[in-house]
Structure formats: structure tokens, C-alpha cells
Amino acid sequence: MGAEMDTAADAEDARSDHPLNSGADAPVTVVACPNGPLLVRGDFTLVGTDGAELPRTRRTVALCRCGASVLKPYCDGSHKLTGFRSDP
Amino acid sequence: MKQPSPRGELSALVLSVLAGSRGSGQDALARLDLLAVEAISRTPDILLDDDLQLTLFCLYELHYSGIDEAGDDWEWDPDLLRVRHRIEAAFEQRVRDETVVGPPPEPTSAAVCAELFRMTGEDGGPSMSRFVAKSATDDQLRELLVHRSISQLREADPHTFAIPRLSGRSKAALVEIQADEYGNGLLARMHSVLFARTMRGVGLDDTYGAYLDAVPAITLAVNNLMSLFGLHRRLRGAIVGHLAAYEMTSSQPNRLYSRGFGRLGYGSEVTEYFDEHVEADAVHEQIAGRDMAGGLVESDPRLLGDVLFGAAAGLAIDTLMTVHIMDAWESNRSSLRTAEVAV
Ligand code: FES
């Protein structure tokens, strides 16, 4: 932050230009959580089939892979109720 | 926080000591110690003892936002710490008696995570969230907020005490969770701020401690447990297990709470707090189980038992609070000490 960033709008722009996690220290990793979601961390953009960015309010997200979430594409913990198993 | 009303001889004396100046009243401090010893030996159950739980809560409060009229110097006063320690020792013993921990898993991240999910998946007592979703009245929903206001208006703070006590993977995981709890630096997204908005949305006072006098001992015990675990490095495994258990039992209940408030016509300014937790805690529970708790045990396998104890203790004491609330509601009573405060 410095003199070149002197309005709130500039700060907003900077925030969206530089995602919360970025650069070499934030490689994208996907953890396949046993019997649960895919946990995605790092510098990534989540888009819909039309290429538009999906609403996202946190750095790390959990993507549903059991199909039962009512918050898709995000996990809402429903996999625990449905007894979803990820092992083949 | 404004001074609460005393609930017995011990809390009355501690509040009057705190309101005086440090260094004065050595007699009062000696008497306080004596009263604490007596109260501990006399109480049938410290978890349900209003006087002891309020006293402990006030002594802990000195490490958070303080109490009006209490000088800041009291925080590290050796005489008060001695009294606190006495109550803590009895409290911790009682919690250990209440807590059942199963056979320990391998000290690996995957095994610890699986065990925590197993523990939190077991049905512990009545389901308050299902009741709230389907049939709770407006007054009961407000009671629920009053109980939860003691922890949620400073959500995440007790667990933050653990950050400097961890290192490596478990520390990064805890910070990742806590950053989210604090809205990633956006004031409006801090979970405590969202909760305050929910309270205002149903016409409740969102000042910290506004309803302290209304909540029963067991609600204070739920909060004191977090402070006990958070403020002692010795119990760093327990605070980590406690947080993991909380995160793992949050998504679904919050979805049902949101439904309950929606059912009674409240809008998103009231339900957003709960909706946010459905998504947030589905992320947090994965990070908490595998990286925070599992990572801690992998780096120091001696902490395995503490992690499981912290999780089991959090669940057990929370269940006692739920039982208290549901018992009252099932017999059409208020679950608060002073019903008129809340409504
Ligand atoms: S994976 Fe969690 S709800 Fe589907």
C-alpha cells in the first residue's frame, strides 16, 4: 500500500487484480478429502460454464463432490448425512 | 463489559474487589481465597454452580475486553490468579469426569481427522437445531441468541490464544480458519459482526455482556471451558481439539437455525450469520481435522490424548447446555434465568 493507492476504489481494484492468494507461494492445490469435498487452495478463479466468475467470499473453498449440497458448487456438509463414500 | 449482577457470596466479593483499586483490600483478597475454597468443597456440581461459574467468567474476562470499573492491573494480580487457579482445577477435574474418550487412533493426520469426524458424527443428546427449524417460537429463538451471544459476539477469540503456541502446519491451518472467522480483515464479514446484526435484527441488544445476567451457569461453563483451554499452553492440544469439534458440528445445525428464523419471517439480515457458517464451516472442518488437529499430533504425538479430550469435552459440555435449554422448552419454561431480560 502506498501513495499511488489513495482512494477506496483504487484499493478495491487492486484487490480484484491480485487475488487473495497469488504467486509462487500459493500454488493451486486440491485436496480430495476422504468421504468429503474437494478442498481447493491457492491462486485460482472459479468460473461457471459461461466463463463468468462465481461468487466467492473466501480464499479456500470446499467443492461438493457428493452431489447432495444445497450450496453447490460449494460443500455444505451434507455428505456426512448421506454417508457419501469416496473410496472406490 | 458492564458489571454483571452477583450470583452469590463469592461472585459478589470478586466483583467488589475488582471495582476497588489494586493493592488495597488484602483482607478482601484473603477472604476471597477462603470463600473460593469453601464454595468448591460445597458445590454439588461446579458445572451448574452460578456463583462459581460467574466468578470464573469474570476472572477470565480480565483477559478479554475487561469489566467496567475493574482496573486493567487486575489481569495479572497473583492473588486473583491463585483464586482463579483453584476454581479452574476443580472445573477441569469435573470436565474430565464428564468426558469419555475412545481408544486413541494412530498419531497420523488422516487417523486423527477420521476419529474426530467419528466423534462428532455420533448423536449427542437432543437435537436443538431440528427443533429450532421446525417448531421453536419467536421467544425461543431469541433465547437461543441470548445464550449464544456470550461466545458469538466475540467469536473466535478464545481459540486465537492458541496461535502463538502452535507452529508449522497446524499454525497455518489455525490462522487460515481464524482469518475467515475475522472476515479476512473485512469488518462487515467478521463473524462477531454478523452475529451482532442478527441480534439487532430480532430486536436484541448487541452490546457484549448485555444478557450475561440472563444466562444460566451451564452457558457460562461452555464459555469458561474455551477460556480454560485457550489460556493455558499446557492445554494447547485441547483447544485445538475443541475448535475442530466445533467446526465439525456447525454446518448442518446452522442450516437448520437459518431455516427456523426464516420460518418465522426473518430476512437475510438475521439469517446471514447462519448461512455464512454453513459454507464456512464445511471448509473449516476439513482444515481443522486434517491440518490443524492432525498436523499438531503429527508434529507432537504426545498431544494426541489432549486433542481428543478437548474435542470430547467441548461436545459433552455443549450437550449439557442443549439438554438444559430443551428441558426448559419442553416444559414451556424459559431456559434463561430472567426471561423478561430477553423478550
Ligand atoms: S461433498 Fe460436502 S456436501 Fe457434497
Side-chain angles (χ1 to χ4, degrees):
Chain A
M1 301 280 165
E4 71 273 22
M5 197 183 289
D6 47 16
T7 68
D10 284 350
E12 255 324 299
D13 284 352
R15 201 169 268 152
S16 49
D17 285 343
H18 303 281
L20 294 167
N21 287 350
S22 64
D25 291 340
V28 181
T29 61
V30 181
V31 182
C33 302
N35 309 327
L38 301 171
L39 196 68
V40 190
R41 271 204 188 89
D43 182 3
F44 64 90
T45 315
L46 206 60
V47 297
T49 46
D50 58 357
E53 201 167 340
L54 296 176
R56 176 177 154 207
T57 55
R58 64 199 70 256
R59 295 162 194 241
T60 299
V61 301
L63 298 178
C64 175
R65 66 166 163 158
C66 76
S69 173
V70 297
L71 289 181
K72 286 199 272 292
Y74 303 118
C75 164
D76 69 354
S78 292
H79 58 269
K80 293 190 279 187
L81 301 180
T82 59
F84 169 66
R85 305 288 307 179
S86 54
D87 38 12
Chain B
M1 172 182 100
K2 83 171 164 65
Q3 275 218 7
S5 309
R7 301 188 186 187
E9 230 185 336
L10 184 66
S11 49
L13 186 58
V14 86
L15 285 164
S16 95
V17 164
L18 290 175
S21 65
R22 186 162 172 255
S24 70
Q26 280 303 316
D27 288 358
L29 283 165
R31 196 170 135 63
L32 190 67
D33 197 36
L34 213 70
L35 280 182
V37 172
E38 279 172 22
I40 290 163
S41 69
R42 211 177 41 218
T43 185
D45 186 353
I46 190 170
L47 294 176
L48 307 177
D49 191 305
D50 274 300
D51 201 21
L52 279 164
Q53 290 296 338
L54 179 64
T55 301
L56 186 55
F57 188 88
C58 290
L59 292 172
Y60 282 144
E61 189 58 28
L62 300 173
H63 300 281
Y64 293 95
S65 45
I67 302 174
D68 295 354
E69 322 295 334
D72 290 343
D73 286 348
W74 284 116
E75 182 183 3
W76 297 105
D77 181 89
D79 293 308
L80 280 188
L81 289 176
R82 181 177 317 119
V83 172
R84 194 187 91 187
H85 180 70
R86 280 192 201 287
I87 305 174
E88 282 179 317
F91 179 46
E92 184 180 339
Q93 190 53 56
R94 177 67 184 85
V95 170
R96 287 188 184 275
D97 293 344
E98 187 68 28
T99 303
V100 187
V101 180
E106 292 292 300
T108 64
S109 163
V112 169
C113 185
E115 173 63 8
L116 289 169
F117 272 122
R118 187 198 65 75
M119 290 166 70
T120 52
E122 283 179 349
D123 205 12
S127 170
M128 184 154 66
S129 50
R130 277 196 291 274
F131 179 80
V132 165
K134 285 206 196 103
S135 30
T137 64
D138 201 52
D139 283 349
Q140 287 168 338
L141 291 186
R142 293 143 69 91
E143 282 188 25
L144 176 70
L145 295 182
V146 165
H147 284 283
R148 296 192 42 159
S149 68
I150 311 300
S151 51
Q152 258 63 37
L153 285 176
R154 63 166 170 228
E155 186 161 346
D157 288 353
H159 300 97
T160 295
F161 282 124
I163 293 173
R165 295 171 183 158
L166 305 185
S167 61
R169 181 182 176 193
S170 60
K171 182 180 211 153
L174 174 56
V175 170
E176 186 174 25
I177 293 168
Q178 297 300 85
D180 218 28
E181 299 284 342
Y182 293 119
N184 289 297
L186 296 175
L187 176 66
R189 303 224 33 105
M190 284 221 296
H191 288 179
S192 54
V193 169
L194 291 176
F195 191 80
R197 203 148 74 97
T198 295
M199 289 189 80
R200 290 196 303 277
V202 304
L204 290 170
D205 186 346
D206 66 352
T207 313
Y208 190 77
Y211 300 107
L212 190 62
D213 287 345
V215 302
I218 189 64
T219 302
L220 297 179
V222 163
N223 285 274
N224 286 337
L225 185 68
M226 291 186 246
S227 298
L228 171 72
F229 289 169
L231 286 168
H232 292 269
R233 179 177 173 279
R234 170 177 69 85
L235 294 167
R236 61 195 178 285
I239 190 73
V240 160
H242 184 280
L243 179 57
Y246 262 33
E247 299 292 355
M248 289 176 173
T249 49
S250 172
S251 285
Q252 292 306 318
N254 276 302
R255 188 165 76 174
L256 294 170
Y257 291 146
S258 175
R259 198 180 294 168
F261 282 90
R263 174 174 56 79
L264 289 178
Y266 290 108
S268 63
E269 78 287 354
V270 168
T271 59
E272 192 191 351
Y273 170 85
F274 303 106
D275 296 335
E276 157 67 10
H277 279 74
V278 177
E279 186 190 319
D281 294 343
V283 176
H284 295 175
E285 66 180 3
Q286 300 297 340
I287 302 170
R290 203 159 294 106
D291 299 313
M292 182 183 68
L296 179 66
V297 170
E298 282 195 358
S299 70
D300 189 349
R302 292 170 308 170
L303 298 179
L304 174 60
D306 287 345
V307 168
L308 300 179
F309 161 63
L315 296 170
I317 307 306
D318 255 45
T319 296
L320 292 179
M321 181 175 82
T322 302
V323 166
H324 169 93
I325 296 173
M326 292 301 293
D327 276 357
W329 289 355
E330 269 158 21
S331 45
N332 287 315
R333 279 183 289 113
S334 165
S335 62
L336 299 174
R337 301 174 71 232
T338 43
E340 65 278 11
V341 178
V343 293

